[in-house]
Amino acid sequence: MTQVVEGIERIKEYRERLVGLLDFMSKLPPEQQNPVAMAVVTMMKEKDEQLIDAAETGKPIVCTWYGNCIEVLSGMGIAFFNPVIDLMFHLGLTDYADAKECDKYNLDDKICSLVRYAVYSMENKLHPRPTCFIAMQEPCDGQLMLHQAFTQLDHLKGVPFFSIDPSYGHTDKDFEYVAKQLKDMVKFVEEKTGVKYDFEKVKAVVDETNKQYAIWAECNELMKASPAPLPSFAIPDAFWPLMQHLKVGNPVYTKIMETVRDVAKANVEKGVGPVMNEQIRIFWPDLDPLWSEKLGQWLAEEWNAVVVQTFQGLTPYTPVDTSNEDAMFFGLARRAVAEVPMIRQGRGWTDVVVEDVTNAIQDYNIDAVLFSGHMGHKDQSGINYFMKKACRDMKVPLLTLTTSLFDERYTPLDKVKNDISNFFSANGWKRNKKA
Amino acid sequence: MSRNTQIPALEPLMKASQTIFNDELKACKAQGGKIVGYLQEEIPEEIFTAAGLVPVAVRGVGSDGTELAEAYFRQLTCNYVRNTFNTILNGDWDFLDGAVYSNHCDHARRIYDNWATLPGNPAYHFVYVPKSIGPRETEFYREELKKLIEATEKRFNVKITSESLTAAIKLHNETRRLQQQIYDMQKGEQVYLKGSELLLVMMAANCVPRVRYNQLLKELIEQLKAVGPTIKPTLRLMYTGGHADSQEFFELLEKQGGDIIVDNAAFGTRACAKLISEEGCPLEAIVNYYQDQKPSATRIGGTADARMQRVVDLVKEYKLDGVISARLFMCDLWAFEQFMMRKRLEKEGVPLLELEVDYQLDGEGQIRTRVQAFIESILARKNN
């Protein structure tokens, strides 16, 4: 029976907006339609519908986070949400309405914008009350603390809470430690939701993600071509939500990813790409910014420049062995703490950052590194020396900005563009004469 | 009312707490002692003592700026870390024979990465301290401590035995018992120490060889008891926060008409609230103490209720009128702690002042005004 549930109004609002967006997209002339974008929006709508159904019919709902092996929840068929994904997606469609409300929220504004959105949205009941929480304690202090803050909100008191301690290194011992906790997590979820875990169902999800990550790796390979076959940020922007935020392991996603790969492959074979006179190949060592599309378009038009790889796209995603349960959880643990972007680079020592930057510069024939200097990444503020040294050793210029990846108002885009232009000019690159 | 009689044992403790290479450490070094720097709170100092070393908390007290550190840390890093690293680059810590760091927070953990790049640096080990508590975390932490023991033995060519660990536990427990006595003396209507004195005496435990510290603390207690409680607070306040350790800052708080009676600082009440078991396997006792028994650091997941309750309990135990909390600019851990504390203390009807400060005292006028307003509002409420 359908129930009236507190916190579901906002999810319905999201769904209605996505229905409208899909309607708009489908009415565009065929040459302007983007089947990948439409598919991603459709998946987001379906996620919201699953959440609404679960809330209205009393099914369990888990509040979790990327990097928490959502393959398990997907395989168990449990509705879940990450408190910031919908909110951030809809910022661009609502003139940053929630971000403006969040400006007034009484939590230090020097904390990561994304982390602030999460606490703001939970306190303001923009989600149904979850059956339980799965907390992420990595890669930063903000993440660690936001989950603690949830437990102190009056309406969330008593919601059971499970947290995964990530360890610091990249050895098998580290992954075994996390794998044991993932097994504990399964027991916790079973106990709190009443849903039984079935190895075969989770294995099917993980097997599908293995295929999807393999396609992602193929796309990365194709981006090594010059001109790059796809626009700045395109691959990680499209694939990241499919792999870590929506109901992962869906074969429909595999088709979407194959479509992207095939377009890239065809472009490489034809020797074409969105920036034909490619002048500057850029590495962006961080998550993609929410304002990636605007930045990417400007880089192409003004400087014939392309962001060919980012930390969000560059990650090994070692295939997870699903031949038995122990192997699968070990592989999922490794994926969760050593391969999911930002967690991979932010959780432990600086060696991974240096290695990733060095490899990216070499493998993607990078001309320049643009470091976002995201205001929430306090650990990155302490890798200044390493980032400079890695770029200097590779003889590639580095620009360190100060931005918020999740709030373009923090450093206005015009200021970012100006800093980038000065940097490019100082390094001898010429503006596109057409611009 | 203030104290008119000199307390001789106070001066060496307070002086030592305000100097990196203080006279006590110089004397130790002159006698061939070896000193290890560490990040205070979650790395067991007992292990260093058991190895015959003197543990000293690495911090930036007395720093004259952050210019040198700017090449390593951007402005998003807190000033405690930038000042501390500046003192490292300045050579102020060159007397160290070793240094051990942990993943305490996103800012401080990068000191280790950067320190390790400097020629001849003393950083020899990093301890991962789990971010939550439970049997799996305890098991992992135990293994981490075994690695620390092994690394320390190797570096200093010593053997850490069960006997030496037990002796170290007893020595550090003695410190905790003496510190508990100091705090007990702050519970009466009149108290023995001003807040600035109390906090610096506590901080001195982290920068004075332990046997000497215990001796000075015993003398301090005797001398204070001989004089009696001479300070009658107008208002009874608690300080809570992360990393503040300068005399000027604590004096600024108390000069405005309120008195800091007690604290909820890592180097204060949290350092001495519990004793380590002196029975059974000493390593196990250390693991249990740091993982399960000691009041948790801000960052430990699943302990928020206990942390908030501890603040409320201290307010009741010391009959406090209010709480002053201070976070450093850019500190996410304490920004959240204040966020949670605000909600809890409001429910309890306890006045709370939230300050955002720099590690080196800056914006003195603004802090003074805010503390004054806070004290006036409590006094007005009391008088009504």
Side-chain angles (χ1 to χ4, degrees):
Chain A
M1 196 177 126
T2 301
Q3 302 170 10
V4 177
V5 186
E6 193 175 43
I8 209 68
E9 300 80 4
R10 175 56 81 91
I11 310 299
K12 288 184 173 173
E13 184 188 320
Y14 291 146
R15 181 191 56 188
E16 293 316 308
R17 192 173 295 122
L18 295 177
V19 167
L21 183 62
L22 282 168
D23 183 50
F24 169 78
M25 291 165 110
S26 67
K27 287 177 182 159
L28 287 169
E31 68 277 8
Q32 288 181 27
Q33 287 191 6
N34 181 339
V36 173
M38 286 179 74
V40 172
V41 174
T42 304
M43 296 303 137
M44 291 198 64
K45 180 177 77 71
E46 286 178 5
K47 177 193 69 67
D48 288 341
E49 283 165 351
Q50 189 197 16
L51 203 54
I52 293 165
D53 171 66
E56 290 184 338
T57 58
K59 291 177 193 151
I61 296 171
V62 177
C63 176
T64 185
W65 208 268
Y66 60 83
N68 281 348
C69 287
I70 51 178
E71 291 88 345
V72 173
L73 294 176
S74 276
M76 292 174 78
I78 297 171
F80 60 85
F81 69 91
N82 171 322
V84 296
I85 296 311
D86 279 325
L87 187 150
M88 292 202 303
F89 182 84
H90 288 261
L91 284 179
L93 303 169
T94 57
D95 189 28
Y96 265 65
D98 274 318
K100 288 172 185 168
E101 279 302 306
C102 200
D103 289 344
K104 303 172 210 159
Y105 190 56
N106 195 1
L107 177 63
D108 185 11
D109 60 7
K110 289 178 289 306
I111 291 173
C112 171
S113 317
L114 177 148
V115 168
R116 282 172 49 80
Y117 293 151
V119 189
Y120 154 85
S121 74
M122 292 305 285
E123 177 141 38
N124 287 290
K125 301 180 184 173
L126 305 187
H127 317 274
R129 188 176 193 266
T131 312
C132 57
F133 284 110
I134 298 176
M136 179 166 104
Q137 305 200 112
E138 57 194 324
C140 66
D141 293 341
Q143 294 282 8
L144 172 66
M145 295 305 287
L146 79 86
H147 286 104
Q148 296 200 41
F150 289 169
T151 67
Q152 299 302 300
L153 300 175
D154 280 341
H155 70 288
L156 297 174
K157 286 267 180 197
V159 176
F161 185 93
F162 184 89
S163 56
I164 303 165
D165 182 52
S167 85
Y168 210 67
H170 302 276
T171 67
D172 284 359
K173 276 205 157 180
D174 290 296
F175 305 146
E176 280 159 13
Y177 172 55
V178 176
K180 283 180 199 166
Q181 295 178 67
L182 292 181
K183 289 181 187 172
D184 294 342
M185 180 187 86
V186 169
K187 283 184 202 147
F188 168 85
V189 172
E190 279 190 312
E191 189 189 316
K192 302 305 172 195
T193 64
V195 178
K196 292 307 275 181
Y197 158 82
D198 179 338
F199 169 62
E200 290 302 328
K201 287 183 180 167
V202 176
K203 171 183 155 53
V205 166
V206 177
D207 283 339
E208 196 63 30
T209 62
N210 278 340
K211 282 188 221 165
Q212 294 164 348
Y213 282 123
I215 298 168
W216 193 337
E218 283 184 67
C219 292
N220 283 347
E221 274 302 304
L222 292 163
M223 284 300 281
K224 291 177 182 172
S226 182
L230 296 174
S232 292
F233 303 107
I235 296 170
D237 272 2
F239 291 178
W240 168 246
L242 302 179
M243 305 308 293
Q244 286 292 335
H245 299 312
L246 301 175
K247 191 169 178 283
V248 300
N250 186 338
V252 174
Y253 304 168
T254 316
K255 297 280 175 216
I256 297 170
M257 295 170 85
E258 282 171 349
T259 306
V260 174
R261 179 203 55 198
D262 292 344
V263 170
K265 200 172 178 181
N267 283 353
V268 171
E269 282 164 5
K270 285 185 236 161
V272 298
V275 183
M276 284 306 294
N277 301 316
E278 192 177 86
Q279 179 184 211
I280 313 167
R281 294 172 63 81
I282 298 165
F283 181 55
W284 179 272
D286 212 325
L287 292 185
D288 296 8
L290 273 186
W291 30 276
S292 62
E293 200 176 328
K294 291 178 193 171
L295 178 65
Q297 202 172 332
W298 174 81
L299 286 167
E301 289 169 1
E302 191 88 7
W303 287 96
N304 286 331
V306 188
V307 177
V308 292
Q309 192 51 283
T310 69
F311 273 167
Q312 188 165 310
L314 180 74
T315 170
Y317 289 125
T318 316
V320 174
D321 176 1
T322 57
S323 59
N324 63 69
E325 206 167 64
D326 285 343
M328 182 178 79
F329 279 105
F330 179 88
L332 285 174
R334 180 183 54 215
R335 181 183 283 178
V337 298
E339 296 182 347
V340 170
M342 189 163 70
I343 296 171
R344 170 177 170 75
Q345 293 91 5
R347 176 181 64 103
W349 293 289
T350 51
D351 53 346
V352 176
V353 174
V354 172
E355 188 183 317
D356 283 355
V357 171
T358 306
N359 289 344
I361 290 172
Q362 190 167 296
D363 296 346
Y364 290 84
N365 200 19
I366 295 297
D367 300 305
V369 175
L370 299 185
F371 188 29
S372 78
H374 172 57
M375 46 75 86
H377 288 164
K378 308 297 191 323
D379 68 295
Q380 284 189 349
S381 180
I383 66 169
N384 214 18
Y385 167 85
F386 299 93
M387 191 63 85
K388 282 192 280 191
K389 185 174 186 307
C391 292
R392 197 170 51 237
D393 289 350
M394 298 301 290
K395 298 183 173 53
V396 166
L398 163 74
L399 173 66
T400 301
L401 301 156
T402 299
T403 67
S404 168
L405 294 173
F406 312 110
D407 187 346
E408 68 180 74
R409 302 168 308 153
Y410 185 84
T411 304
L413 198 52
D414 281 345
K415 164 86 171 92
V416 173
K417 289 176 185 173
N418 190 51
D419 289 349
I420 294 173
S421 288
N422 288 342
F423 166 73
F424 285 161
S425 297
N427 280 283
W429 285 298
K430 303 289 176 214
R431 271 179 203 270
N432 187 349
K433 282 183 185 150
K434 285 185 224 160
Chain B
M1 194 165 83
S2 61
R3 191 190 312 115
N4 294 318
T5 316
Q6 283 280 338
I7 306 292
L10 252 183
E11 198 201 334
L13 288 167
M14 291 183 66
K15 201 174 152 197
S17 75
Q18 294 302 285
T19 316
I20 289 177
F21 194 27
N22 58 56
D23 291 346
E24 304 293 341
L25 293 175
K26 281 179 185 162
C28 160
K29 201 81 180 170
Q31 289 162 21
K34 294 214 180 293
I35 302 174
V36 172
Y38 74 111
L39 186 60
Q40 198 262 338
E41 190 167 13
E42 292 170 301
I43 300 172
E45 54 200 0
E46 291 78 6
I47 288 175
F48 304 121
T49 301
L53 308 165
V54 173
V56 174
V58 176
R59 54 206 176 97
V61 67
S63 164
D64 55 6
T66 59
E67 292 79 5
L68 300 173
E70 304 295 333
Y72 296 82
F73 292 94
R74 301 182 65 230
Q75 301 285 330
L76 296 171
T77 300
C78 79
N79 248 335
Y80 153 75
V81 165
R82 289 194 291 141
N83 277 286
T84 298
F85 204 68
N86 212 71
T87 60
I88 288 170
L89 293 168
N90 225 6
D92 298 351
W93 292 96
D94 285 356
F95 64 91
L96 289 181
D97 299 288
V100 175
Y101 252 72
S102 72
N103 57 315
H104 187 75
C105 71
D106 287 339
H107 307 258
R109 66 191 171 106
R110 291 290 177 231
I111 286 183
Y112 177 83
D113 296 272
N114 285 293
W115 205 348
T117 67
L118 303 180
N121 73 81
Y124 72 92
H125 196 70
F126 186 92
V127 179
Y128 176 77
V129 182
K131 298 178 178 181
S132 49
I133 47 175
R136 298 220 186 274
E137 289 87 342
T138 301
E139 192 185 328
F140 198 86
Y141 184 62
R142 185 185 299 113
E143 293 306 309
E144 285 289 295
L145 294 195
K146 284 181 184 171
K147 286 187 219 164
L148 171 63
I149 288 172
E150 202 180 313
T152 304
E153 287 179 332
K154 194 174 163 195
R155 182 173 180 92
F156 294 98
N157 195 24
V158 293
K159 192 77 196 153
I160 297 171
T161 63
S162 285
E163 290 73 27
S164 64
L165 274 177
T166 302
I169 289 171
K170 285 181 178 168
L171 179 67
H172 286 262
N173 274 349
E174 187 189 351
T175 304
R176 294 183 181 103
R177 287 192 189 95
L178 291 166
Q179 290 176 332
Q180 285 171 0
Q181 279 189 53
I182 291 278
Y183 281 110
D184 281 344
M185 291 159 71
Q186 296 293 95
K187 289 180 182 170
E189 199 177 319
Q190 296 199 169
V191 300
Y192 289 78
L193 289 170
K194 292 191 291 180
S196 55
E197 294 169 340
L198 172 72
L199 288 157
L200 298 189
V201 163
M202 291 302 292
M203 177 51 82
N206 302 298
C207 56
V208 173
R210 197 47 65 106
V211 173
R212 168 77 173 144
Y213 178 77
N214 286 354
Q215 180 203 332
L216 285 168
L217 208 49
K218 270 184 217 159
E219 288 171 18
L220 176 68
I221 291 167
E222 281 167 18
Q223 290 165 11
L224 285 171
K225 283 189 171 169
V227 174
T230 56
I231 300 160
K232 186 167 171 48
T234 316
L235 279 180
R236 302 172 67 88
L237 301 173
M238 172 162 74
Y239 161 75
T240 183
H243 295 302
D245 62 1
S246 82
Q247 187 164 355
E248 293 78 17
F249 174 67
F250 295 129
E251 284 177 351
L252 180 63
L253 298 185
E254 68 195 4
K255 271 181 190 163
Q256 313 313 317
D259 290 276
I260 304 292
I261 301 301
V262 68
D263 65 83
N264 177 38
F267 61 88
T269 56
R270 298 212 315 262
C272 64
K274 302 277 180 187
L275 300 179
I276 304 184
S277 170
E278 295 177 11
E279 306 294 323
C281 169
L283 178 62
E284 213 51 37
I286 289 172
V287 170
N288 290 336
Y289 170 78
Y290 280 93
Q291 272 287 286
D292 297 329
Q293 294 159 359
K294 188 181 179 194
S296 290
T298 311
R299 70 189 192 97
I300 302 295
T303 65
D305 282 338
R307 297 199 310 270
M308 296 306 122
Q309 188 59 46
R310 179 176 154 72
V311 173
V312 172
D313 289 346
L314 284 169
V315 168
K316 287 177 184 160
E317 194 180 349
Y318 287 82
K319 299 183 179 62
L320 302 177
D321 297 302
V323 175
I324 297 179
S325 80
R327 72 171 188 270
L328 293 177
F329 286 106
M330 302 295 170
C331 177
D332 290 354
L333 294 178
W334 272 93
F336 267 108
E337 198 73 349
Q338 288 183 329
F339 174 84
M340 292 186 272
M341 206 177 283
R342 182 190 313 146
K343 290 178 185 299
R344 181 61 193 272
L345 292 186
E346 196 177 312
K347 274 185 202 157
E348 302 286 340
V350 178
L352 169 69
L353 174 65
E354 298 174 36
L355 296 174
E356 189 176 26
V357 299
D358 239 328
Y359 180 66
Q360 295 298 338
L361 193 55
D362 198 12
E364 200 174 323
Q366 194 186 15
I367 297 173
R368 187 182 297 118
T369 306
R370 294 201 60 205
V371 176
Q372 273 171 356
F374 178 65
I375 286 168
E376 280 167 18
S377 71
I378 299 176
L379 284 172
R381 196 199 310 192
K382 280 185 93 164
N383 293 335
N384 289 334

